[in-house]
Amino acid sequence: MSPHDHRPLLGSDQQHNPFGVSPSQLTDLVDPKSPELLKKLGGTQAVLKKLRVDPKSGLSSDEGVESSSDKAFSDRQSVFGRNILPETISKSFLQLLWAAYNDKTLILLTIASLVSLAIGIWEDYSPNHPEDEPRVGWVEGTAILVAVLAVVLTNAINDYQKERQFKKLNAKKEDRVVKVIRDGKELQISVYDLNVGDILMLEPGDIIPADGLYLGGHNLACDESSATGESDTMKKLTDDQGDCFILSGSKVLEGVGKMVAIAVGEQSYFGKTMMAMRGTEAEGTPLQMKLDTLAEQIAKLGFAAAIIMLFALVIKYFIVAAMQPHFPPGQEIAAAMISIIIQAITIIVVAVPEGLPMAVTMALAFATTQMLKDNNLVRVLAACETMGNATAICSDKTGTLTQNKMTVAEGTLAEEAFDKPEHVKGWAGRVDSSVVQLLTESIAVNSTAFEGKDENNRVDFVGSKTECALLGFSKILGSDYDAIRHETNVAKVYPFASKRKTMTTIMKIQENSATSHNQKEYRMYTKGASEIVLESCTSFLTSDGHVKKLDKETNVKVGGLISAYADKALRTIALAYRDLSSSKYEDMSDDEPTLKDLVLIGIVGIMDPLRPGVVESVAAFREAGVFVRMITGDNINTAKAIARNAGILTKGGIALTGPEFREMSVEEQRKVIPRLQVLARSSPTDKTVVVTRLQEQDQVVGMTGDGTNDGPALKLADVGFSMGIAGTEVAKEASDIILMDDNFNSILKALLWGRAVNDGVRKFLTFQLTVNIAAVVLSFISAIGSDNSESILSAVQLLWVNLIMDTLAALALATEPPTQDLLQRKPISKYAHLINFRMGKMIIGQAIFQIAVNLVIMYLGLAIFHLDNDAQGQATLRTMVFNVFVFLQVFNEINCRRIDNTLNVFKDIFNNWIFLAIQVLVILGQFLIVTFGGIAFKTVPLTPIQWLVTVAIGSLSLPVGTIIRLLPDCGGERKFSEEAKPLATYSRMSWEGAIGDVRKELRLYSFLRRSRNRPVRSTSKDSHRSMASSAPNYGATRSMHSQPRESENSGTTSQEPQNNLHGNRFAALVQNAQKFKQAAENGEA
C-alpha cells in the first residue's frame, strides 16, 4: 500500500483492515478478561498469526517500508492506533473567565451596576444636582462593576493556577523505554513507539505499557491492584493453563516473561479508563445552588420593596400636590416622577448583596491556599465547600486506609513472640544471636525480591509482596540481605509453586554461614503456607538456639497460633530449615524438593498495615456525623478485620461481597446501603453503584482511592480524593482533591476547611443582610419622611458602608481559620437554606435594633445631643448618624464571628490576624473620613465626647447580640433543623445489633429444647400436648419449670437444673446455648 493512500481512521470499516482481527475483538479480551473469546479466536497462537508476528523474532523494524518516504508500521498503526493518549484540551484563560462569570448573582450585580451607573451619571449632570456636592453618582455603579471583575478574575486565576499545579504534580517522565524483540534481537524503544503485535520482555518492577497475552517465561506474577482493586498477586500462565491476560497499568512483581501487545493507547484498559475521566462537566455544588436561590429571593424582595416605595412616594407626591393652592405643571410632575423612579431603583441596588460572590471567592481562595499547606491540592475550587457537608466517605482499602505495603505485623519465632513491628528488636534481645543469624540468612537466601527504585523513583523492595515484607523485617533486625546473598553459595532453588505453596533454597555451608545445632555440609531453607510447612516439620528451634522434638502438644499449640493469626486477617508464613549431609543433598531431585524432617524456626503473620492516624480519623469522622464505608477488591475476611481495626465495621453494621451486592434488586440495595460498612470483592461498577445509591438518598458522598479502578467512582462522587504519591494518573485525573501525602487523616483537614468555608460565607451573610435590611428600611423611611425624598445617608457615605460590607468584611469573616469545634456538629443538609433559624433571629434582631437607634438619632438627636437646630447642628447630627451607623457595623462584625449560640464572640479572635487588621483599618478610615471628609462625605469633625458617645452607641451591638442569643427559640430550632438526616446512626445500629443477638440466642434456646425432645417417641396425642406446652416457652421462666423433665429425658440428674434454678437463669441458659450452638446450627442445616 502506498503511503499516499488515504488511511482510514481508527475503528473504521473492517475491509481496510489487513489483519485477521479487529481492535474491538482484542480489547474485548481483557475488559473483562474473557478466556471464552480467546478460545473463539483460536487461542494465543492464532492471535499471533492474525497479528502477523513471530513470537521468537518479533516484528520487523522496517515493516511496511518500501521507499525512503514510507513510515514503518503505518498499516498497523492506522488499524490499532499508537500508544499515545490525545492531549487534554485545557480551557484558555478567556474560557475560564467566561466560566467564572457565568453565575446568576454576578449577572444580577452587573445589571444593577449598569442601572446604577446610568442613574448616577444622569443625576450628576441633571439641573437639580446641588452645586456644593461633587459629581460622584457614577462611583457606586463603577464600584460594583469593579467588584464583579475582581471576583471573576480571582476565580479564573485560581482555576488556572490549580490546573498548572495539577499538571506539575502529574509531570513524571513522560517518555520511558521498554524492552521488545524486533528482528530477533532485544531492543529498548520508547513506550510511544510500541505497537500492537510487539513482543515485550517483562522483568520485576516493570509497569505494563499495553494490554497483552502471556507467551511464556518463569514464575511471572503481576500486581493488578491499581486496576482491579484485587490485592492478591496474579500469577500469569499460558492460555491452556490459566490466566494469560496482562493488563496495562499493572506492575510485574516477580519472575520474567514475554507477552504480545494486543491493545495500545486509547484502546488499552489503562487508556480507556483515562479517556473515560475526560470531558465530564461538574454539576453545581450545594453552596452554588443555595447562593443562586438566595440571589433570586433577594432580587424579588428588593423588587417588591422598590415597588412599594414607588407607589408610596407617588401617592405622597400627589397628596401633597393636591393640598397645595396650585397643582404643579406637567414638566415638574415628570421631573418628580423620574426622581421617584430613581429612588426606587436605588433600593434594589442597595438590597443586592454585592459582596456575596466576593466572600465566597475569598473564602475558597484562602482555604485552598491554606489546604495546600495541609497537603491537600484542590483541583476543583467548589469541592472544598462541598466537602464541608459530606455525610458519607467511601474509602478504598489498599493504599488509602492501608499503606499498600505488606509488613510482618506479628510473629512467634524460636518460642518468643512479638505483637507489633516496633517490638521486633525486643524479640531479638530475648533470643540467642545464632537464632537471629539463622532467621536473617533464611530470609535473604530463600527469596527473589530485591531493593530497587519503584515507579515513583523511590527506593523500595521490588518483588513478591510476601518476600518484600520478610526483607523489610530482616532490615529492622539490622541485616544486610545483599551482603548475605553475595557471601552465600546457592546450590539449588525450587521457586514458589502454587501446587506445593512453598519455596525452597539449598545452600552450601561456608565459614561465614549462620551456625545451627546440627550443622552439616548443606542447609535447606523452606518458607510457605504455614499448614503445609508445619506438616513437614518434626522439630522446632528454641530461643537458645537448640532444637526440640515437635510433639503432639506443641503441634496443637502451633496450629492454634496459626488460627489466631488467621482470625486477625494475617497471612501466615512458616519458616523452616534442615541441615543436609552431602549424600542427602545428592539424593535431592532437581524438580521437587524433599520436604521432611524440617526444623520449624517459627510463624510470622503478614498484613497490609493501616496508615498512621487512620483510627483517629475514622473516630473523628463519626463524631462529625460522617459515615465511613470501606469498599475494596480484597476478600471478605481480610476486609472485615481491617475495617474492625480501623473502627469502620461496628456492631450492627453489614459487610457484603460485591457478588452478593450485585445479586440484590435496586430496592434491596437501597435498604441495605444505610448499614453497609464493608463491601469486599468489589468491582469498579460496585463502587459507582454504592455512590449512586447513596446520592439517591440525598447523601453528599466523598470517595477516596488511589487505583485506576477507583476512577469512575471518584468522578461520580460529590468530592473525589486521590493519592498524590501512590495514586495512578487515572485516579488523579478523576479526583477533585489530591492528598499530597497519601494520608487518610488529610481528609479530616479537608472536612474542617470545607466547614470553615461554609461558616465564613454564613457569617458574612449574617453581617451583610443585617446592613442591607437596615440600609433599605432607613432609606425608605427617610425618603418618605423628608421633603425632597432624600436618604439620611448620602451616596458617598453609602459607598463607604458598602466597602466595609463587601470587600473588607468578606476578607475579615471569610478567612477565619478552622477550629476543632467544627467536628463537634453534624453535617448540614444540602437542602437546608443558607440562612438558618439562628442566623435569621440575629439578622432580624440586629436590623430592628439598628433601625430603631438610627431613627431615634435622626428625629430626636438634636435634643439628645444638645445640638442647635441650624445648618451646623444638622451637619453634626448627620455626621453622628453616619458614625453610629458605621460603628454599629464594626461591632456587629465581631458579633457575627459566631453564628451558633456561643456567647463568647471573642473566642480565638487572636488566631485571625486578618480580621484584627481589617477592624483597625476600618476604624482608622472612619476617623479620617469624619475628620477630613468635608464636602465629599458631607461630614464635619466631631468632638472627643461626640466620638465617645457614637462609638459607645455602636458597641451596643455586642450586648444586643448576646440578648438575641439568649432569647428562647420556642421550638423554632427543632422545627427548622438544618442537620442532614443520617441514613443510620452508630448508636441505633449498636442497639439493634444487640437486640438481634438476643433474638438469635432466644431462637437458639427454643430450638435446643425442641431438639432435645425429638428422640423421645410418643403418640400423636402426647406429641400434640408437648408442642402445646412448649410453644410459649421462649423466655427463661417457663423453660426452667420444664428443665427437670428434660434433664431426665437426656439422661442427666435433676439436681443440676435445681441448682441452676436458684442462680442466674438467663446466664445459665446462655451458657447452655453456647455449648450446643454448633450442634444447633448443624441441626438447622
Side-chain angles (χ1 to χ4, degrees), residues 650-839:
T650 59
K651 194 170 186 63
I654 296 173
L656 292 173
T657 63
E660 289 171 339
F661 186 69
R662 284 194 293 274
E663 286 173 7
M664 294 179 176
S665 65
V666 172
E667 201 54 44
E668 286 173 332
Q669 288 175 347
R670 287 189 184 127
K671 285 179 182 177
V672 81
I673 204 80
R675 296 169 187 280
L676 182 67
Q677 292 181 320
V678 176
L679 186 65
R681 291 294 182 201
S682 65
S683 68
T685 309
D686 294 329
K687 296 185 178 187
T688 54
V689 169
V690 169
V691 174
T692 303
R693 295 291 168 264
L694 286 168
Q695 289 174 334
E696 285 172 355
Q697 299 183 58
D698 295 331
Q699 299 295 293
V700 178
V701 186
M703 170 74 187
T704 72
D706 65 340
T708 301
N709 63 313
D710 297 324
L714 287 172
K715 198 75 174 175
L716 181 65
D718 297 283
V719 183
F721 291 90
S722 65
M723 303 294 145
I725 300 170
T728 62
E729 289 178 31
V730 174
K732 291 174 189 173
E733 184 75 34
S735 64
D736 301 303
I737 298 175
I738 298 173
L739 304 177
M740 306 288 282
D741 59 352
D742 285 14
N743 195 338
F744 186 80
N745 195 40
S746 296
I747 303 170
L748 253 192
K749 295 173 184 174
L751 181 77
L752 277 169
W753 276 108
R755 292 190 173 186
V757 166
N758 282 297
D759 277 11
V761 173
R762 286 183 149 199
K763 289 171 187 176
F764 175 75
L765 259 181
T766 306
F767 173 72
Q768 186 173 50
L769 291 183
T770 302
V771 186
N772 277 14
I773 292 171
V776 167
V777 173
L778 281 174
S779 297
F780 187 94
I781 293 174
S782 59
I784 295 288
S786 70
D787 295 333
N788 54 1
S789 298
E790 280 188 0
S791 170
I792 185 69
L793 297 172
S794 71
V796 184
Q797 288 174 353
L798 276 174
L799 181 64
W800 169 240
V801 171
N802 273 347
L803 181 64
I804 297 172
M805 287 194 306
D806 299 347
T807 310
L808 297 178
L811 194 58
L813 292 170
T815 56
E816 191 92 20
T819 63
Q820 291 299 314
D821 293 344
L822 294 173
L823 295 177
Q824 305 303 313
R825 69 171 195 226
K826 304 304 177 190
I828 296 169
S829 169
K830 63 181 180 180
Y831 297 114
H833 201 280
L834 265 176
I835 304 167
N836 61 22
F837 182 80
R838 289 189 299 272
M839 290 169 63

Side-chain angles (χ1 to χ4, degrees), residues 944-965:
I945 296 297
Q946 288 169 341
W947 268 102
L948 188 63
V949 170
T950 50
V951 172
I953 294 171
S955 69
L956 291 176
S957 279
L958 292 175
V960 167
T962 303
I963 293 167
I964 293 169
R965 285 186 174 92

Side-chain angles (χ1 to χ4, degrees), residues 857-912:
I857 296 173
M858 278 167 56
Y859 293 109
L860 302 175
L862 292 174
I864 293 171
F865 300 124
H866 306 291
L867 298 172
D868 296 328
N869 192 7
D870 56 10
Q872 180 63 29
Q874 289 290 343
T876 303
L877 182 63
R878 284 179 70 107
T879 303
M880 292 184 76
V881 169
F882 172 52
N883 213 34
V884 166
F885 191 82
V886 167
F887 276 97
L888 281 170
Q889 312 320 320
V890 168
F891 286 100
N892 190 38
E893 196 166 347
I894 298 172
N895 191 54
C896 289
R897 287 188 66 248
R898 308 294 300 190
I899 53 173
D900 51 16
N901 284 327
T902 304
L903 297 179
N904 183 10
V905 294
F906 294 98
K907 186 179 180 182
D908 298 322
I909 194 168
F910 293 107
N911 291 344
N912 189 3

